[in-house]
Amino acid sequence: EAGVAQSPRYKIIEKRQSVAFWCNPISGHATLYWYQQILGQGPKLLIQFQNNGVVDDSQLPKDRFSAERLKGVDSTLKIQPAKLEDSAVYLCASSKDRGLETQYFGPGTRLLVL
Amino acid sequence: AQTVTQSQPEMSVQEAETVTLSCTYDTSESDYYLFWYKQPPSRQMILVIRQEAYKQQNATENRFSVNFQKAAKSFSLKISDSQLGDAAMYFCAYRSNRGNNNDMRFGAGTRLTVKP
């Protein structure tokens, strides 16, 4: 079974530029999560999808961050415009469903904003 | 709001020895789940072990076991017979079982070094 795929693995941009990250969850997984992991901290949930609908985006900075999962499979996370404090690893995870299901994480995208 | 605290930023253990990583959490709920995740330098988070709060028996997965003290809100991870491949960041995490929200709260992590 293929794991959660993410791309790119690394991205360097200048502040005020825009950037997009892509995630392909494990096949058949209905729930998809985006986390932000700042250096030295644990991951923080940004947004959670159930199929193509948003379940929780309470911690997503909506003035600059957006995410979509149009067909209930792949997802993209966008930052526009980026700030220095957005430098972090962005992790995507998926689970079969909500509730008890284990979350499986992708390798992450390391973003550096200069 | 639920918080997870890992008071040990770094830990070190000799190969083949046993090490315990600490985790405490704060919640007013009674139904929840606790997890330990491992994050090697490659960054892919891997589930090590999980514990349902309603279960009194401590979870065990091969060399990994937990000491779950619900009243004390403590959830430590014991790694027995440590191996070089155990070197990683370890994150303790909490998730409520109330409603449909899967929001997982992570601690800041403990970096484990295994000395040969």
Side-chain angles (χ1 to χ4, degrees):
Chain A
E1 179 181 74
V4 177
Q6 289 188 247
S7 68
R9 293 294 304 274
Y10 305 91
K11 190 75 178 178
I12 301 174
I13 62 172
E14 295 188 349
K15 60 183 179 182
R16 291 187 289 274
Q17 285 187 326
S18 62
V19 64
F21 312 129
W22 173 82
C23 173
N24 180 235
I26 293 173
S27 177
H29 280 196
T31 313
L32 185 147
Y33 314 80
W34 282 103
Y35 289 88
Q36 180 192 58
Q37 187 178 16
I38 293 173
L39 186 65
Q41 300 180 18
K44 182 185 80 172
L45 181 70
L46 292 176
I47 189 168
Q48 175 186 339
F49 291 94
Q50 182 68 12
N51 297 308
N52 61 350
V54 176
V55 173
D56 181 4
D57 63 356
S58 57
Q59 299 188 88
L60 187 73
K62 298 179 187 63
D63 58 334
R64 299 183 300 106
F65 286 65
S66 64
E68 59 183 14
R69 193 185 184 200
L70 292 176
K71 297 182 179 178
V73 181
D74 294 6
S75 177
T76 56
L77 176 70
K78 297 179 181 178
I79 307 175
Q80 182 180 10
K83 292 185 175 181
L84 297 177
E85 58 262 35
D86 297 333
S87 294
V89 175
Y90 290 85
L91 297 168
C92 180
S94 70
S95 62
K96 287 183 181 177
D97 206 337
R98 293 181 287 184
L100 287 179
E101 300 295 338
T102 296
Q103 295 185 24
Y104 296 88
F105 286 80
T109 296
R110 184 181 295 277
L111 173 67
L112 179 60
V113 182
L114 302 176
Chain B
Q2 298 86 7
T3 58
V4 179
T5 302
Q6 293 179 251
S7 58
Q8 306 155 317
E10 296 183 358
M11 289 287 283
S12 177
V13 64
Q14 205 71 35
E15 194 176 6
E17 298 285 301
T18 296
V19 65
T20 299
L21 308 184
S22 301
C23 173
T24 58
Y25 57 94
D26 183 27
T27 184
S28 58
E29 299 177 342
S30 59
D31 191 9
Y32 51 87
Y33 301 91
L34 297 164
F35 306 82
W36 279 98
Y37 275 89
K38 172 185 177 181
Q39 189 177 43
S42 66
R43 293 203 307 276
Q44 195 136 8
M45 298 267 281
I46 305 166
L47 178 66
V48 175
I49 198 166
R50 80 176 198 182
Q51 173 83 40
E52 290 85 349
Y54 65 85
K55 289 186 177 179
Q56 292 187 339
Q57 187 173 6
N58 289 325
T60 299
E61 289 286 346
N62 301 314
R63 297 183 295 107
F64 299 87
S65 61
V66 299
N67 183 5
F68 173 47
Q69 302 288 330
K70 191 171 184 178
K73 298 178 182 175
S74 170
F75 183 61
S76 61
L77 174 70
K78 185 172 83 170
I79 306 174
S80 303
D81 186 24
S82 297
Q83 300 175 0
L84 295 177
D86 294 334
M89 284 291 289
Y90 286 82
F91 291 95
C92 178
Y94 167 102
R95 193 179 79 203
S96 171
N97 193 34
R98 187 174 63 179
N100 289 318
N101 192 345
N102 276 31
D103 187 5
M104 192 119 74
R105 302 295 175 109
F106 287 85
T110 296
R111 181 177 302 281
L112 179 66
T113 303
V114 182
K115 298 179 179 178

